[in-house]
Amino acid sequence: MAMAGAFFFSADLSPLFRRDMMSASGKTKRSPILKRLAASTEQRPSPTTVRTKTARERSSSFVEKKSSSEEVERIRGVNVEDEPERNRKSFKDYFEEAKDMIRSDGGPPRWFSPLECGSHAPDSPLLLYLSGMDGVGVGLVTQHQRLGQIFDIWCLHIPVKDRTSFTGLVKLVERTVRSENYLLPNRPIYLVGESLGACLALAVAARNPDIDLVLILANPATSFSKSQFQPLIPLLELMPHQVPLILLSVLSLMEGDPLRMAVDNLIKGLPLQTKIGDQSRDPFTVSSYLPVINDMMPKETLRWKLEMLKSASAYANSRLHAVKAQTLILSSGRDQLLPSREEGERLRLALSHCQIRRFNDSRHALFLEDDFDLVTVIKGAGFYRCGKYLDYISDFIPPTPSEFKKTFESDRWIYVATAPVMLSTLEDGKIVKGLAGIPSEGPVLFVGYHMLLGLELTPLVSQFMIERNIVLRGIAHPMMFKKLKDGKLPELSQYDKIRIMGAVPVSGTNFFKLLSSKSHVLLYPGGMREALHRKGEEYKLFWPEQSEFVRMAARFGAKIVPFGAVGEDDIGQVVFDYDDLMKIPYFRNEINELTSEAVHLRTDASGEVANQDVHLPGILPKVPGRFYYYFGKPIETAGRKQELRDRKKCHELYLEVKSEVEKCISYLKEKRESDPYRNLLPRLIYQATHGFTSEVPTFEP
């Protein structure tokens, strides 16, 4: 009976959620093209208003679907995505919606879609949420609005009195996965599970290695044998029907868990107050939510769930070898319920296609924490895709204002220390302060010089967003996206910010797609050799002999903007370079080991530019000077496609661009000498007298 009704969106579910009609056979009556109608996000109804509406009344409040292109533009735009962040639900809403879900609970497990998920792009992948031990299915309540813009979300609800076994739940989810994969075989299916739900996701993935699944697992309960859950099983046998205070005291150890946050305050006899995001502190007493906790987890249900956790952990662990799905483990560093930190590392090594992201200050209920954003995590890890393979261009979702702000604030020290000066060239050749000379419409190709360690990138990308709201799509080394093996290279998580900001691994295909999508593209022909230069090689270009970008730019009529950046010698000096390191056996072995972990580039090239060994030169820091950027006059390639097919003409333009970059560098080196605020101390004095947010003057162009 549990399996027979598993695919119905029960009419008993709260009106806070929308349902799809299913056929009697259990197959979805849903066109692969036509998505379910989404509730309007323009006017968010209050919970009271929503609960009083009938299904017919609710359907009249749905918005009409826009065209595919308009919908993708609206949903994936930079500014639109920030709206849900202002309307983000809180931890308090978890209890409110959980109470509403179990009010008239009954029947078998089934799927529901939250109304606030809104409308998503037509090609959005399916996301199946598998909750933890509570089973209610609203554990993503604070994430719904943002997730709903890029996913088709279904949440699994397990009624309190339901006693479907773990294997029964596995079969239920498996049937849904296979049915949806049959309808849309080229669309990935995301299984987002926490705790018990993570075990469920692993089990389904192990049984279906031929289906394109993406697993997002938060604090998996595969470590149940080492958890604080274990002592509760025999303890429950001795308890009366109502869970007494002593058990609540045990549960209070579950820091970060929704139950713990209420129980802890019950024991203290204090009102429970929660502050989420920018919301004001909205006091509510434990007495309001204690019945919800009791209804959600009565003694018999708690005992059943603990026994299920035990079997789920054993089931999933015995089948880890069969999991082939792309997997992202989210591990909380302060999870007092499960040893999630250690378990995350174990799973990372045990699973074949697995990455991990650590949240050292987070607790067990990661998805409900106020500063956690699952969409940002998925984007940063490079795990969002709409097809079988990640397309760095079509799958890219621009950073929201809040995402950019967090990225900018984390690297603000570079911006403050270097006080960047930006100069650009207008169409008439006039040099002006700021980025007014940068073309607004793409495709635009920025070709420039790579400073030592690429230190110029953070201020450069940030200023384009701040001043012009332009996402600069940098073409980066593949080691920031993929490691050939575990070793000494930085973890991929170190590069999450550059992926959020739009960087792509260097390849002809990605370059082609960026220009064809009219992007603003950032290219450094000198690559790693230029960024890791030797002593005395400051501002020396290391470009390939052959032109690598001119023909492609001409094919799409891209404007080429040559630019120079100086200031690296004002912040550090190379005192121990590659040549010095290679003379010492220890460092030579280290360099060879690092290089073996990274994807090799320009293997068919010769000369200095082919030397792409990964190493870190010895740098003597200086008191930070100032960074200067000068963007030359855009070079038009529109209408020159046929002309630039000629190899000689193409090479001439290539050399012209290189010459312009060198001129930009020479101009800045000369002009910075007349900048009274080139050094740090004068800048600090100016900001102390004019305000630390004021713009520090510089030389006149």
Side-chain angles (χ1 to χ4, degrees):
M1 289 299 292
M3 291 302 297
F7 294 93
F8 284 92
F9 287 74
S10 169
D12 294 331
L13 283 179
S14 161
L16 285 171
F17 309 101
R18 65 176 186 263
R19 290 86 69 183
D20 278 353
M21 298 303 295
M22 302 288 180
S23 67
S25 62
K27 293 185 178 180
T28 312
K29 287 184 178 179
R30 186 163 63 88
S31 165
I33 299 176
L34 297 177
K35 302 286 183 176
R36 289 174 288 180
L37 293 176
S40 172
T41 57
E42 296 177 5
Q43 182 178 1
R44 182 183 168 205
S46 66
T48 304
T49 304
V50 176
R51 290 193 191 101
T52 59
K53 287 186 177 182
T54 64
R56 183 180 297 275
E57 289 171 332
R58 286 194 304 274
S59 67
S60 65
S61 67
F62 291 167
V63 296
E64 184 178 352
K65 296 292 286 184
K66 299 182 179 180
S67 67
S68 297
S69 60
E70 290 176 332
E71 190 68 4
V72 172
E73 180 70 21
R74 187 190 72 80
I75 290 171
R76 296 185 181 170
V78 174
N79 295 320
V80 174
E81 271 197 293
D82 219 31
E83 184 66 26
E85 297 176 25
R86 291 193 291 270
N87 296 329
R88 177 170 171 159
K89 288 192 173 183
S90 70
F91 178 79
K92 177 181 177 181
D93 292 304
Y94 167 82
F95 278 109
E96 291 289 350
E97 298 194 1
K99 178 171 62 176
D100 204 83
M101 289 287 290
I102 63 178
R103 178 176 296 163
S104 55
D105 216 355
R110 62 264 193 185
W111 300 101
F112 68 90
S113 289
L115 275 176
E116 67 265 25
C117 285
S119 55
H120 49 78
D123 62 343
S124 296
L126 176 66
L127 185 152
L128 302 179
Y129 171 60
L130 311 173
S131 67
M133 198 171 74
D134 64 291
V136 179
V138 295
L140 284 179
V141 65
T142 65
Q143 314 289 329
H144 281 162
Q145 289 182 312
R146 288 210 66 204
L147 285 171
Q149 291 188 323
I150 61 175
F151 288 106
D152 182 10
I153 301 179
W154 296 8
C155 303
L156 181 62
H157 173 66
I158 305 173
V160 173
K161 296 182 179 180
D162 179 76
R163 295 296 180 262
T164 303
S165 66
F166 178 75
T167 54
L169 293 176
V170 170
K171 293 177 181 178
L172 184 157
V173 178
E174 184 178 49
R175 284 179 56 187
T176 303
V177 165
R178 290 181 176 179
S179 173
E180 291 299 311
N181 181 69
Y182 176 79
L183 288 173
L184 293 169
N186 295 319
R187 181 181 67 169
I189 298 176
Y190 284 69
L191 300 182
V192 176
E194 54 179 333
S195 187
L196 173 64
C199 294
L200 185 53
L202 285 168
V204 172
R207 291 164 59 98
N208 297 274
D210 56 326
I211 295 179
D212 185 12
L213 297 176
V214 180
L215 310 185
I216 311 292
L217 311 180
N219 302 322
T222 45
S223 59
F224 175 79
S225 60
K226 303 175 183 177
S227 75
Q228 297 185 48
F229 276 135
Q230 287 278 29
L232 296 184
I233 299 178
L235 184 63
L236 282 172
E237 298 294 336
L238 306 176
M239 298 293 179
H241 182 70
Q242 293 294 327
V243 181
L245 191 61
I246 185 173
L247 182 55
L248 295 179
S249 299
V250 176
L251 290 175
S252 70
L253 296 174
M254 305 178 183
E255 277 197 67
D257 187 89
L259 304 180
R260 197 282 310 168
M261 295 179 73
V263 168
D264 190 45
N265 283 273
L266 171 67
I267 295 170
K268 294 178 181 178
L270 299 173
L272 178 61
Q273 296 185 345
T274 303
K275 181 178 179 180
I276 303 295
D278 293 331
Q279 297 184 11
S280 61
R281 295 199 173 192
D282 192 9
F284 55 98
T285 61
V286 172
S287 59
S288 302
Y289 294 98
L290 184 56
V292 183
I293 298 172
N294 288 332
D295 291 344
M296 205 186 327
M297 205 68 67
K299 174 188 172 183
E300 292 303 319
T301 297
L302 180 59
R303 182 170 58 184
W304 171 264
K305 292 292 179 68
L306 290 174
E307 291 289 354
M308 182 185 289
L309 270 176
K310 185 176 181 180
S311 62
S313 177
Y315 189 103
N317 278 313
S318 67
R319 291 163 174 79
L320 290 180
H321 64 280
V323 177
K324 307 302 179 186
Q326 183 184 11
T327 305
L328 180 63
I329 304 291
L330 311 179
S331 293
S332 294
R334 299 176 64 187
D335 185 351
Q336 297 189 19
L337 194 60
L338 296 168
S340 295
R341 187 198 301 266
E342 297 78 7
E343 185 65 7
E345 292 297 330
R346 185 184 76 89
L347 291 176
R348 184 183 69 84
L349 297 174
L351 301 174
S352 56
H353 303 288
C354 184
Q355 290 189 40
I356 188 171
R357 294 297 182 271
R358 302 172 186 84
F359 303 89
N360 295 330
D361 296 327
S362 296
R363 295 183 168 88
H364 184 69
L366 182 63
F367 293 152
L368 290 173
E369 296 200 357
D370 57 347
D371 59 348
F372 180 81
D373 192 321
L374 184 55
V375 170
T376 300
V377 172
I378 291 173
K379 287 166 57 177
F383 266 62
Y384 184 75
R385 56 186 172 88
C386 296
K388 285 188 175 294
Y389 304 99
L390 174 61
D391 188 317
Y392 287 96
I393 288 74
S394 64
D395 289 330
F396 174 64
I397 302 170
T400 65
S402 63
E403 284 175 336
F404 170 70
K405 181 180 178 182
K406 291 176 183 177
T407 300
F408 177 73
E409 290 297 332
S410 66
D411 292 326
R412 188 179 180 85
W413 66 272
I414 300 178
Y415 205 92
V416 173
T418 61
V421 174
M422 303 278 175
L423 305 174
S424 60
T425 309
L426 302 178
E427 290 185 3
D428 60 4
K430 181 181 178 181
I431 302 174
V432 296
K433 294 178 183 178
L435 301 176
I438 301 301
S440 299
E441 298 296 326
V444 182
L445 177 61
F446 298 89
V447 184
Y449 165 74
H450 224 350
M451 274 192 191
L452 181 65
L453 302 181
L455 293 175
E456 82 285 354
L457 277 169
T458 297
L460 175 61
V461 173
S462 297
Q463 193 62 29
F464 266 73
M465 284 288 291
I466 293 170
E467 188 174 336
R468 296 294 305 275
N469 198 27
I470 291 175
V471 179
L472 207 53
R473 307 295 306 275
I475 297 180
H477 197 286
M479 72 177 183
M480 299 180 181
F481 303 85
K482 180 181 179 181
K483 291 177 65 174
L484 298 180
K485 60 180 181 179
D486 282 337
K488 299 179 180 180
L489 279 179
E491 293 188 2
L492 293 179
S493 60
Q494 299 296 314
Y495 306 112
D496 284 3
K497 289 186 292 186
I498 73 162
R499 284 188 286 269
I500 289 173
M501 294 305 297
V504 305
V506 58
S507 74
T509 300
N510 286 337
F511 189 35
F512 175 93
K513 289 181 177 180
L514 284 172
L515 293 179
S516 65
S517 63
K518 298 183 178 181
S519 301
H520 288 70
V521 185
L522 178 61
L523 176 67
Y524 292 102
M528 186 184 295
R529 176 61 182 87
E530 203 166 79
L532 301 178
H533 57 248
R534 320 293 192 250
K535 289 180 290 188
E537 292 180 348
E538 296 87 356
Y539 310 123
K540 180 180 179 181
L541 270 58
F542 290 92
W543 287 22
E545 290 297 326
Q546 69 278 12
S547 58
E548 293 186 325
F549 57 83
V550 173
R551 286 188 183 180
M552 190 75 78
R555 178 170 183 172
F556 295 99
K559 296 179 178 68
I560 300 176
V561 179
F563 75 95
V566 305
E568 62 179 292
D569 53 351
D570 281 344
I571 200 169
Q573 180 179 352
V574 177
V575 294
F576 208 66
D577 63 16
Y578 174 80
D579 296 331
D580 297 325
L581 293 169
M582 290 298 286
K583 293 176 183 177
I584 303 174
Y586 172 79
F587 290 114
R588 184 168 61 247
N589 292 336
E590 289 288 300
I591 290 173
N592 291 335
E593 180 65 24
L594 287 172
T595 304
S596 69
E597 297 172 25
V599 177
H600 293 182
L601 295 177
R602 289 171 170 162
T603 55
D604 57 345
S606 58
E608 285 293 330
V609 76
N611 189 348
Q612 297 282 338
D613 286 354
V614 182
H615 68 286
L616 183 64
I619 301 171
L620 180 64
K622 296 181 179 180
V623 176
R626 199 168 193 181
F627 282 1
Y628 303 86
Y629 303 78
Y630 172 34
F631 297 89
K633 185 177 180 180
I635 299 172
E636 295 282 354
T637 65
R640 302 180 63 183
K641 182 177 179 180
Q642 294 298 326
E643 173 192 351
L644 294 175
R645 283 185 176 179
D646 181 86
R647 181 169 297 182
K648 183 178 179 181
K649 293 288 186 182
C650 183
H651 192 64
E652 287 176 357
L653 182 56
Y654 179 74
L655 294 178
E656 178 187 345
V657 175
K658 184 178 181 181
S659 176
E660 288 297 318
V661 172
E662 292 173 331
K663 289 178 182 178
C664 291
I665 294 173
S666 298
Y667 174 85
L668 292 173
K669 289 174 67 177
E670 177 185 350
K671 296 293 290 186
R672 70 175 175 174
E673 296 297 331
S674 61
D675 184 0
Y677 299 99
R678 176 181 173 183
N679 296 320
L680 180 62
L681 183 58
R683 294 201 304 273
L684 292 177
I685 294 175
Y686 181 90
Q687 290 180 320
T689 56
H690 293 80
F692 282 95
T693 59
S694 60
E695 182 180 353
V696 180
T698 186
F699 58 80
E700 288 298 322

